[in-house]
Amino acid sequence: MKNSLKVHAALFVVALIYAANYSISKDVMPRYMGPFGLVLLRVVGATVFFGVLSRLVAPQDRIQGRADQLRAVACGVLGIGLNQLLFFSGLNLTSPINASLIQTIAPVVTVLASAALLGEKLTLPRLLGIGLAGVGAASIILSRGPVAAGGQDGFLGNLYILLNATAFGIYLVLVMPLMRKYHPFTVLARIFLVGAVLAVPAGWQQVQAADYASFPTGIWVAIAYMVICLTILAYLLNNWALKYASPSLLGAYIYLQPALAVLIAVAAGKDTLTLSKALQALLIFAGVFLVSRKSRQPQPAPIPLEAVQD
């Protein structure tokens, strides 16, 4: 019972950390720093942390073989580089609620990628779920309205978030064999290093252009939150909880993150919840529920789904 409470607490904190990021990031972007600059700070910080931690926890563990090396590179490009660059670019242009809802379809992409890459069968309920989630996401992406700074239309931002969810969903399928074969910190150290190769040149100019002397304390706190809590703390808590949590419990927390993101965004005055957004959310949630339902075939052990999630 005591351990169960700790698991729920850890998963709730992880969901809260990710949910708050949708609104916190909007305080920083684009006034104080561009999205690629934030990606650089976050990825470099995580690269150093997991690089040191992997040498302390699993000093003899190494990714070996050409196939695993190439897989790690692909995971770094999709799960870190493109994932982070697309997410923060999209969030910079769209609203916190739209971003949190669209990103929820990552499990749907994972199922499609598993079917394409691993030959897993798509059942009728899963196909229906994919359709519902797709309609919900498409209605958000195509919806009009000035949701970004400067009155820009959020279509491009919504599209970036969809591509972000797609990259992350494919990454989850690719990273699964590595997570089971090597220590998680060994894998994370390598893929963050690969991601840094993309993030550093992409964000270097924005990091240099920032006027750090004008940053108020709250902005420094927000940046520290994204570097420390969003990447490092969330992963450590989630990785510990996965040792004790069931797949059904993890599925339940898929829905908690966007719900918390909506509450935080509305309470902070960053966004408004309309009836159309509520209906779009129901379509996506229903689709993800059907897709995530446990099939009769035995399922492999879960992996850290929030390892590098935004």
Side-chain angles (χ1 to χ4, degrees):
M1 180 64 180
K2 185 178 180 180
N3 201 51
S4 177
L5 290 175
K6 289 181 179 179
V7 170
H8 280 281
L11 290 175
F12 178 81
V13 171
V14 169
L16 186 61
I17 287 174
Y18 285 120
N21 175 61
Y22 291 96
S23 294
I24 292 175
S25 297
K26 301 291 283 187
D27 291 332
V28 183
M29 301 183 301
R31 180 179 177 183
Y32 294 99
M33 185 176 289
F36 287 3
L38 289 177
V39 171
L40 186 155
L41 295 178
R42 184 185 174 191
V43 171
V44 169
T47 300
V48 173
F49 177 83
F50 287 116
V52 173
L53 194 60
S54 66
R55 298 281 67 83
L56 294 175
V57 176
Q60 305 302 323
D61 198 28
R62 296 287 191 278
I63 296 178
Q64 300 177 346
R66 179 180 174 83
D68 285 355
Q69 296 281 3
L70 292 176
R71 183 179 290 269
V73 170
C75 288
V77 171
L78 289 171
I80 305 297
L82 289 179
N83 177 33
Q84 296 297 321
L85 294 172
L86 287 169
F87 174 78
F88 280 97
S89 295
L91 185 58
N92 186 47
L93 296 174
T94 191
S95 69
I97 291 179
N98 283 2
S100 63
L101 293 179
I102 295 172
Q103 203 185 43
T104 311
I105 70 168
V108 176
V109 178
T110 301
V111 169
L112 288 173
S114 297
L117 300 176
L118 305 179
E120 291 189 8
K121 294 183 178 180
L122 292 176
T123 62
L124 182 60
R126 283 190 166 185
L127 288 173
L128 178 60
I130 291 170
L132 287 175
V135 170
S139 64
I140 293 177
I141 293 172
L142 297 175
S143 63
R144 294 185 176 274
V147 296
Q152 301 177 39
D153 188 271
F155 172 80
L156 187 59
N158 292 334
L159 185 60
Y160 282 157
I161 296 296
L162 177 64
L163 293 175
N164 152 250
T166 301
F168 185 71
I170 298 173
Y171 154 80
L172 289 178
V173 176
L174 294 178
V175 80
M176 190 180 300
L178 296 178
M179 285 292 188
R180 291 174 182 156
K181 188 173 182 180
Y182 304 99
H183 194 283
F185 292 154
T186 301
V187 177
L188 284 179
R190 174 61 59 85
I191 65 177
F192 266 106
L193 181 61
V194 172
V197 174
L198 296 178
V200 170
W204 185 251
Q205 184 177 0
Q206 293 184 1
V207 168
Q208 286 186 312
D211 183 12
Y212 296 100
S214 68
F215 284 16
T217 303
I219 296 302
W220 283 114
V221 172
I223 293 175
Y225 174 90
M226 284 183 276
V227 174
I228 299 173
C229 297
L230 188 61
T231 303
I232 298 171
L233 180 60
Y235 172 78
L236 293 176
L237 287 173
N238 191 71
N239 190 55
W240 175 83
L242 280 170
K243 296 178 181 179
Y244 309 100
S246 64
S248 60
L249 181 60
L250 294 175
Y253 276 90
I254 290 176
Y255 304 98
L256 181 60
Q257 185 184 134
L260 289 173
V262 169
L263 292 176
I264 293 171
V266 172
K270 305 291 183 183
D271 204 351
T272 56
L273 179 62
T274 62
L275 179 60
S276 62
K277 286 184 179 180
L279 293 176
Q280 291 160 348
L282 287 177
L283 282 174
I284 294 177
F285 287 176
V288 175
F289 171 76
L290 290 173
V291 168
S292 303
R293 288 182 64 186
K294 187 176 181 181
S295 64
R296 294 181 180 179
Q297 296 178 347
Q299 298 295 315
I303 62 172
L305 297 185
E306 268 86 6
V308 293
Q309 191 180 357
D310 318 289

